[in-house]
Amino acid sequence: MAQIALTTSAALFPFNRGAKQWTNLFPRFSKRYGTNISLFMSYRKKGVRFVASDATGRNGGVPEISDGETAPRSYVWPDKKKPRVCILGGGFGGLYTALRLESLVWPDDKKPQVLLVDQSERFVFKPMLYELLSGEVDAWEIAPRFLDLLANTSVQFCQDRVKLLHPYDHFRMNGPSGSSFGGTVLLESGLLIEYDWLVLALGAESKLDVVPGASEFALPFSNLEDARKVDSKLRRLERRNFGKFSPIRVAVVGCGYSGVELAATVAERLQSRGIVQAINVETTICPTAPPGNREAALKVLSSREVQLLLGYFVRCIRRVDNVEASENMTGSGAVPGIAAEHDHETYTLELQPAQRGLQSQILEADLVLWTVGSKPPLPQLEPHDKPHELPLNGRGQAETDETLRVKGHPRIFALGDSSSLRDSNGKLLPATAQVAFQQADFTGWNLWAAINDRPLLPFRFQNLGEMMTLGRNDAAISPSFIEGLTLEGPIGHTARKIAYLIRLPTDEHRLKVGISWLTKSAIESVASLQSNLTKVLSGS
């Protein structure tokens, strides 16, 4: 399954210091904001910055102390009495939680005001990013704008990045000094949001820093911008190699669901014009997949001549520059941008064996696609022994109880890649769209229960099966309710598209996309019929 990878990032988290020692260092701020000041440090590459706030968090909340910067401006909620819910991240977890809150029945004085924050203007249905490369879908179908999706709701949207989080619910259930709010969020634009309830649905980012050269020369494939970059690079390679006999060489690092889906899609697109090599440290592809899905994928990869290099890990990636531009392209009258397309960069990948009996290898590639590993944007916090900090596991995910509330923080919920939760067997839940989709439903309900003083429900993941795309007219589905059944080929492809159509976020968007897909299918059917008739007539 395509991993949920959401874009909003939390880069800074505060920690308390003694107030008195800071008033001596910054007397003018103590006079302005009072002597009861808590000061926070935020570490950055270019040094240390300080952030101060009064103890109650009211009257402007967290003004930054930084040369040349003004104090943050506060976000004004429409109603001063109704609960305020701030959702950070607009992927499956965040957006679907907001829509779930909107669909519930609330008492008039309890319906919360909901603000959704994401760094992108578009929601991305990530399991269908591969169809952008194959040309099967248009960007608007799987990446609609948040403003369009939320147009008929009371949910407000803010396009911004998270800079600093200051929770107060670690003091007591209702915050310090009897206040009713849960804390504040500071955005990079300087907007300060005071909330009663917070939802962390920040997703995950591709982890490229584990292998030398990967962050510089490999392209990840986890969001809309990644998909556009890969498509653009493939287009340039296709133009460069048009009419030539040299194939386009593509290396895909990782043979989990994402890597296999990407390798199958790219191989189908390039056909005889390309060579696709997929590398995996395991000795099999999709090791956690149902046997039916794995067998269907192996069959498709074999038919498209995808070379599998199993039992290897990438040691490093290097670039080899080859300038193919001719002199007349760099002379006077050259069209801007055309010469750049003739600059050909190739890469070498050093492969080390992870299994005995294998030899080291060196691969050459025109394009390196990276699908291995991910990291939540929640950072490690310093110091680790402070009870008010968010408890994080080794991967940087917030530890939650079974109701999806962050441990020690009754007013903060976390889900998807931002949370660490185990199933009934003690295994960590996978980072898939299916998990985040189900957790959003529970998070919305538990927020309703918490606001209305009702018991919260423990989350129980229900595995509905697994799906993977293998090309324009090929997919594999293994539903969990029928053991041993795998739908593959055109039937699996159709079933997968119907399943994802049902899971699109709103009725209006489902209707638009459904009409678009039916229209495209009808056009393709007519074109196929005409092609077959032409062949029959020409043969006669």
Side-chain angles (χ1 to χ4, degrees):
M1 288 286 183
Q3 294 184 348
I4 296 295
L6 213 117
T7 52
T8 304
S9 63
L12 305 170
F13 281 76
F15 53 89
N16 288 330
R17 299 290 189 190
K20 293 183 178 179
Q21 60 180 327
W22 298 115
T23 57
N24 296 328
L25 293 174
F26 299 94
R28 69 184 180 93
F29 289 102
S30 63
K31 290 180 181 179
R32 179 177 179 183
Y33 298 109
T35 57
N36 190 14
I37 291 179
S38 59
L39 200 76
F40 311 102
M41 285 181 117
S42 59
Y43 292 94
R44 284 189 169 183
K45 293 181 179 180
K46 296 184 178 180
V48 180
R49 302 178 64 200
F50 296 91
V51 178
S53 72
D54 60 40
T56 63
R58 294 184 177 277
N59 300 325
V62 185
E64 289 194 45
I65 304 174
S66 181
D67 293 338
E69 292 188 13
T70 58
R73 64 189 189 282
S74 295
Y75 175 76
V76 179
W77 293 90
D79 194 307
K80 295 183 178 179
K81 296 181 179 180
K82 291 185 178 181
R84 301 162 299 180
V85 177
C86 181
I87 301 176
L88 303 181
F92 278 96
L95 175 64
Y96 284 66
T97 295
L99 294 175
R100 176 62 169 158
L101 289 171
E102 184 72 12
S103 68
L104 295 171
V105 178
W106 298 85
D108 290 339
D109 60 336
K110 291 291 185 70
K111 183 176 182 181
Q113 308 162 87
V114 180
L115 176 65
L116 179 66
V117 180
D118 194 278
Q119 72 170 15
S120 173
E121 68 170 346
R122 295 179 180 273
F123 163 74
V124 181
F125 200 94
K126 293 187 176 182
M128 299 196 74
L129 279 175
Y130 311 94
E131 278 82 342
L132 282 180
L133 296 185
S134 65
E136 192 173 350
V137 301
D138 297 322
W140 71 267
E141 296 171 342
I142 64 167
R145 297 195 315 155
F146 284 111
L147 292 178
D148 294 333
L149 294 175
L150 302 173
N152 297 322
T153 72
S154 61
V155 178
Q156 299 297 308
F157 172 69
C158 177
Q159 184 180 351
D160 210 332
R161 289 177 180 265
V162 180
K163 181 178 182 180
L164 184 141
L165 174 64
H166 188 186
Y168 277 113
D169 57 352
H170 57 276
F171 289 104
R172 58 177 70 93
M173 185 65 182
N174 291 324
S177 306
S179 61
S180 61
F181 69 96
T184 59
V185 174
L186 181 65
L187 306 182
E188 284 194 352
S189 65
L191 186 66
L192 184 73
I193 304 169
E194 192 176 279
Y195 66 83
D196 299 313
W197 305 90
L198 182 69
V199 178
L200 298 176
L202 299 166
E205 301 169 345
S206 298
K207 192 172 184 179
L208 295 170
D209 55 359
V210 293
V211 171
S215 59
E216 296 90 346
F217 309 128
L219 294 181
F221 195 84
S222 63
N223 55 48
L224 181 61
E225 186 62 27
D226 292 340
R228 285 174 169 166
K229 288 181 180 178
V230 173
D231 180 64
S232 176
K233 179 67 174 179
L234 284 172
R235 289 180 186 274
R236 290 199 299 270
L237 290 171
E238 288 167 336
R239 287 196 296 266
R240 188 206 75 189
N241 281 37
F242 182 77
K244 298 181 180 180
F245 295 102
S246 58
I248 299 170
R249 299 162 298 177
V250 179
V252 180
V253 182
C255 288
Y257 265 109
S258 181
V260 169
E261 290 175 302
L262 194 53
T265 302
V266 173
E268 182 186 49
R269 171 171 171 165
L270 296 179
Q271 297 182 7
S272 61
R273 295 170 293 133
I275 296 176
V276 178
Q277 297 174 304
I279 307 154
N280 201 38
V281 69
E282 303 281 348
T283 56
T284 183
I285 66 169
C286 302
T288 62
N293 278 16
R294 190 182 308 116
E295 292 171 6
L298 284 170
K299 188 191 308 180
V300 169
L301 294 177
S302 176
S303 67
R304 294 176 189 165
E305 299 182 350
V306 175
Q307 300 175 12
L308 297 177
L309 299 168
L310 305 179
Y312 287 95
F313 65 90
V314 179
R315 182 180 179 183
C316 68
I317 304 173
R318 293 189 176 93
R319 179 177 63 187
V320 180
D321 295 325
N322 295 312
V323 180
E324 296 183 346
S326 59
E327 292 182 359
N328 62 342
M329 295 299 296
T330 59
S332 59
V335 180
I338 297 297
E341 293 184 2
H342 289 258
D343 293 342
H344 177 207
E345 293 182 346
T346 61
Y347 309 94
T348 60
L349 294 82
E350 292 187 14
L351 305 186
Q352 289 289 107
Q355 305 290 333
R356 291 184 177 180
L358 299 175
Q359 300 295 323
S360 300
Q361 294 194 43
I362 295 180
L363 299 184
E364 288 191 359
D366 301 302
L367 174 62
V368 181
L369 303 178
W370 192 271
T371 68
V372 178
S374 62
K375 56 181 178 181
L378 291 173
Q380 295 289 337
L381 302 181
E382 295 287 350
H384 295 286
D385 58 349
K386 294 295 183 181
H388 61 272
E389 292 174 347
L390 298 184
L392 305 180
N393 66 4
R395 293 189 58 203
Q397 298 168 310
E399 295 183 357
T400 64
D401 60 23
E402 59 182 2
T403 67
L404 300 177
R405 287 196 298 190
V406 176
K407 293 179 180 179
H409 292 267
R411 288 182 174 266
I412 302 179
F413 290 81
L415 67 160
D417 288 291
S418 293
S419 70
S420 171
L421 189 64
R422 298 182 182 273
D423 60 18
S424 56
N425 297 322
K427 294 179 59 178
L428 279 174
L429 293 176
T432 63
Q434 183 180 181
V435 171
F437 185 85
Q438 293 184 31
Q439 286 181 334
D441 190 54
F442 273 78
T443 301
W445 172 261
N446 281 341
L447 276 167
W448 182 95
I451 292 172
N452 289 283
D453 297 322
R454 301 290 182 86
L456 276 63
L457 294 177
F459 175 71
R460 294 292 182 266
F461 173 59
Q462 183 180 4
N463 187 1
L464 303 177
E466 298 186 20
M467 303 186 290
M468 62 190 310
T469 182
L470 296 169
R472 285 186 64 90
N473 201 33
D474 214 333
I477 299 179
S478 294
S480 62
F481 48 85
I482 304 179
E483 187 175 355
L485 174 65
T486 299
L487 303 177
E488 54 184 293
I491 295 177
H493 178 266
T494 302
R496 177 178 175 273
K497 290 194 72 172
I498 292 175
Y500 281 153
L501 179 64
I502 294 173
R503 290 191 176 186
L504 290 177
T506 65
D507 292 337
E508 293 85 356
H509 190 62
R510 278 191 289 270
L511 179 60
K512 293 178 182 177
V513 173
I515 293 174
S516 177
W517 287 357
L518 285 174
T519 302
K520 291 177 183 178
S521 178
I523 293 174
E524 289 178 359
S525 298
V526 171
S528 177
L529 179 60
Q530 290 177 338
S531 177
N532 292 332
L533 287 175
T534 302
K535 291 180 181 178
V536 172
L537 293 175
S538 62
S540 62

